Amino acid sequence: MKRAPGGLAPIVAVGRRAGTPLHRQLYAGYRDAILDGRLEAGQRLPSTRALAGELGISRMPVVLAFEQLLAEGYIESRVGSGSFVSPGLAAPPPARSPGGTRRLPPPPLPIASSEPWLAGSGPFRIIQPAVDARLARTWATLLARRARLSSMRQMMYGDPMGLPSLREALADYLRTARSVRCTPDQLMIVSGSQQALALSARTLLAPGDAAWMEEPGFSGARDALALAGARVISVPVDADGLDVGAGISRAPSVRAAYVTPSHQYPLGTIMTAQRRLQLLEWARRAGAWILEDDYDSEYRYDNQPIASLQGLDPDRRVIYIGTFSKVLFPALRVGYLVIPHDLVPRFRRVREALDNSPAPLYQAVLADFLRDGHFARHLRRMRAVYAERRAVLVRALAAAGLRVSGDRAGMHVVLELPRGTRDRELATRAAQHGLWVAPLSACYTGRSRSGLLLGYGSARVQDIPDAVRRLVTLL
Ligand SMILES: Cc1ncc(COP(=O)(O)O)c(C=O)c1O
């Protein structure tokens, strides 16, 4: 059997011993490809000479097949340019199941419209970091150097756990700066913390298992749990962080709990030491796993960084998740998990079933970025940049009589509004005026509070006073 060439030609099998003349085989193959939509109206066909050459047959059967297709109106020929699929030959409707309708499983996720406050970029766009020329320059230099050095290894499949040099550099950083207890063999590099959450949920939960989720909370985490078939139990967050007592009274024995203890998303609360110990103690008794999402706590403004929850856990029940989306840039798509030793083989197996690892080239550049001291310098510089932006924002809001909360870390603050204020409508109107404020109520699944999340990561100092003035006018 021979196959027609790829590119603009469909795969049409022809063979000399098929009992049907070659030109009939080719004719039937092309007619079917046109009718079922593999070849679209207006699409160019290969020349008879090229096709015959590719198939290793004489030109005559190809010419005969094309003449037949032409005669029946499937294709048309344009002088000097070749043969094209005729317009107006619609593909038949897709096959239907016996019931007459296409059967799809019910979606485990709500179908959300794309929210207007996420559509643009500029003042107050939540969780959008500053990407400055200096970072872009350094990144480009390191990337060019690595690309020139590109070895065969970088062109092969990588280790599903991630590039060893990056895992070593990252383990050093996490032990020192985040008090994470880890060795490189526990680290898995993934395409962002969203993938880390989805992977954790699929590895640790069976459909129907229950999991605690912060309320209000990060919808991406809720979605990851739901996609794994989990029963998501909302547990309120108060001034001390996740209310463990409330969780226990709602559902004491669940398989997992999702938390953002270093800077709760979205409220900005920092989980107290007492709550951390209470949560760890509950997890030990319940045999539950804790998913610690540490997404932006490198930026803290009032004191030293708070240690990770994982570092306090003697029982190895915490899966620590981090990302470079906020500390470098989101398009990098690199995040990581620190996995308890005994779970590493399971995570690795699930990972292999889903994908392999982010591009080794980018991982190598990131390892250079960490190793050569660029990351530490970048963090120092950005801490100062964000501290200034935050101070200017808080001052401008205070001058307008508005107080914010959750501003001790990260890159956003919460502006609470009187209960009942329609924050979604406000956010939609703000987006029409080029201000990307996210409504607090969108982070709740039940009874919600009203407010606006104001990101200052990408708001330039000189733009903040005017942006606040425009916001106050809308309020
Ligand atoms: C709390 C939190 N966790 C995780 C993520 C996912 O980040 P990424 O997948 O870009 O690493 C985000 C993104 O905004 C977030 O806000």
Side-chain angles (χ1 to χ4, degrees):
M1 288 294 235
K2 290 172 179 162
R3 293 168 138 209
L8 290 174
I11 294 173
V12 173
V14 293
R16 288 188 197 285
R17 282 180 294 280
T20 312
L22 284 176
H23 71 274
R24 292 301 301 175
Q25 293 178 40
L26 265 176
Y27 158 80
Y30 270 77
R31 185 200 54 198
D32 291 350
I34 290 168
L35 289 176
D36 69 18
R38 276 177 292 148
L39 279 172
E40 289 184 345
Q43 192 171 332
R44 184 192 196 122
L45 300 184
S47 73
T48 52
R49 188 186 306 278
L51 187 51
E54 287 288 338
L55 294 172
I57 58 179
S58 78
R59 212 172 140 211
M60 189 48 75
V62 184
V63 171
L64 287 174
F66 275 31
E67 277 178 357
Q68 188 63 31
L69 290 165
L70 193 64
E72 293 180 15
Y74 288 107
I75 64 174
E76 54 187 33
S77 140
R78 294 180 208 155
V79 181
S81 8
S83 302
F84 297 81
V85 177
S86 301
L89 293 170
R96 297 196 170 263
S97 68
T101 49
R102 286 212 292 153
R103 285 215 270 138
L104 290 169
L109 306 176
I111 305 291
S113 59
S114 60
E115 309 288 14
W117 48 86
L118 296 177
S121 65
F124 308 140
R125 174 77 158 89
I126 185 90
I127 49 187
Q128 185 174 298
V131 180
D132 64 2
R134 190 144 149 203
L135 171 61
R137 224 173 21 243
T138 309
W139 187 259
T141 307
L142 296 181
L143 181 60
R145 193 177 75 188
R146 269 288 157 195
R148 273 197 304 276
L149 290 175
S150 245
S151 62
M152 289 290 282
R153 185 175 289 179
Q154 274 180 26
M155 297 180 177
M156 303 305 216
Y157 283 112
D159 183 333
M161 294 296 286
L163 197 69
S165 60
L166 176 57
R167 284 154 55 204
E168 278 160 29
L170 197 51
D172 287 348
Y173 165 72
L174 292 174
R175 273 194 307 268
T176 318
R178 305 290 309 117
S179 303
V180 173
R181 289 194 235 181
C182 64
T183 49
D185 55 328
Q186 288 175 269
L187 263 145
M188 178 186 274
I189 310 297
V190 290
S191 302
S193 46
Q194 187 62 41
Q195 192 186 38
L197 291 168
L199 186 63
S200 303
R202 289 181 82 156
T203 307
L204 302 174
L205 303 174
D209 280 350
W212 286 359
M213 170 70 208
E214 293 177 330
E215 169 89 348
F218 173 54
S219 62
R222 178 176 287 279
D223 287 351
L225 294 169
L227 203 58
R231 256 183 326 115
V232 185
I233 314 276
S234 295
V235 178
V237 173
D238 64 19
D240 293 340
L242 184 88
D243 186 342
V244 179
I248 292 172
S249 58
R250 275 178 202 194
S253 46
V254 298
R255 280 291 280 175
Y258 167 84
V259 281
T260 46
S262 301
H263 188 226
Q264 203 272 335
Y265 186 88
L267 296 178
T269 318
I270 295 166
M271 192 186 272
T272 58
Q274 204 183 9
R275 274 288 165 80
R276 287 168 190 248
L277 296 176
Q278 195 188 356
L279 181 63
L280 291 171
E281 175 58 17
W282 160 78
R284 189 182 64 76
R285 284 171 189 252
W289 305 107
I290 297 173
L291 305 180
E292 177 180 14
D293 182 359
D294 196 5
Y295 63 104
D296 72 354
S297 67
E298 277 87 354
Y299 300 125
R300 290 188 52 80
Y301 308 107
D302 51 0
N303 45 26
Q304 286 301 301
I306 284 219
S308 65
L309 182 65
Q310 193 266 11
L312 288 176
D313 170 25
D315 299 301
R316 307 284 188 257
R317 305 223 62 93
V318 176
I319 289 90
Y320 177 88
I321 294 171
T323 178
F324 285 96
S325 287
K326 326 292 178 226
V327 281
L328 282 180
F329 53 96
L332 181 57
R333 303 314 305 143
V334 174
Y336 47 89
L337 299 118
V338 180
I339 305 165
H341 272 117
D342 53 334
L343 290 180
V344 167
R346 278 175 68 173
F347 269 83
R348 190 186 165 106
R349 226 16 231 113
V350 175
R351 209 266 156 83
E352 283 168 342
L354 294 174
D355 73 340
N356 182 254
S357 73
L361 173 62
Y362 264 32
Q363 294 188 62
V365 178
L366 192 50
D368 293 344
F369 198 85
L370 274 115
R371 276 266 147 76
D372 298 353
H374 297 291
F375 188 54
R377 276 195 293 279
H378 176 73
L379 281 183
R380 268 199 302 278
R381 197 159 54 83
M382 296 323 285
R383 245 178 228 133
V385 167
Y386 292 140
E388 188 186 9
R389 291 179 181 188
R390 164 183 165 273
V392 172
L393 173 62
V394 172
R395 244 194 337 263
L397 289 166
L402 299 170
R403 295 260 239 105
V404 295
S405 57
D407 61 333
R408 286 163 61 200
M411 301 187 301
H412 76 271
V413 296
V414 183
L415 175 62
E416 283 232 27
L417 297 172
R419 204 174 266 287
T421 308
R422 294 192 178 154
D423 55 1
R424 281 173 175 268
E425 281 176 25
L426 202 55
T428 305
R429 261 193 300 130
Q432 287 155 3
H433 290 79
L435 299 173
W436 312 103
V437 296
L440 177 60
S441 65
C443 301
Y444 286 81
T445 53
R447 200 172 132 77
S448 63
R449 273 156 56 184
S450 238
L452 297 177
L453 309 179
L454 307 180
Y456 51 86
S458 62
R460 296 183 310 169
V461 160
Q462 62 268 37
D463 297 335
I464 291 174
D466 176 57
V468 168
R469 253 192 307 279
R470 287 192 284 143
L471 180 64
V472 169
T473 311
L474 282 170
L475 286 171

